[in-house]
Amino acid sequence: MGRHRMGAATWLKITIALAAVLGVLWLALGTGSGWFWAAVVGAALVEWQTTRALAAEWGSEARYAWWWTR
């Protein structure tokens, strides 16, 4: 069960941090910068992986926590 131990609070912290970084980059670079769009793609990939890890954790916990496994 144990390789994905993240939790919703950690996922939320990561999402907020990514949004803050992108907000600062948007203000500093603007949307015309290729670096800004590279950061957006990078943030999207990090968010996708984080969401997948959380879903895997919850799915794993659900499989082993149902009544038929007790």
Side-chain angles (χ1 to χ4, degrees):
M1 229 184 347
R3 117 176 170 177
H4 299 290
R5 295 309 262 162
M6 182 175 39
T10 303
W11 171 79
L12 185 60
K13 289 177 190 176
I14 291 170
T15 301
I16 290 171
L18 289 172
V21 167
L22 288 178
V24 168
L25 288 175
W26 174 65
L27 289 173
L29 301 174
T31 58
S33 170
W35 289 108
F36 171 75
W37 291 109
V40 169
V41 169
L45 291 173
V46 169
E47 184 69 21
W48 177 68
Q49 184 61 35
T50 304
T51 303
R52 283 191 47 180
L54 183 60
E57 177 185 339
W58 284 353
S60 177
E61 288 179 9
R63 275 190 295 282
Y64 297 111
W66 291 103
W67 60 270
W68 59 76
T69 62
R70 294 179 186 180

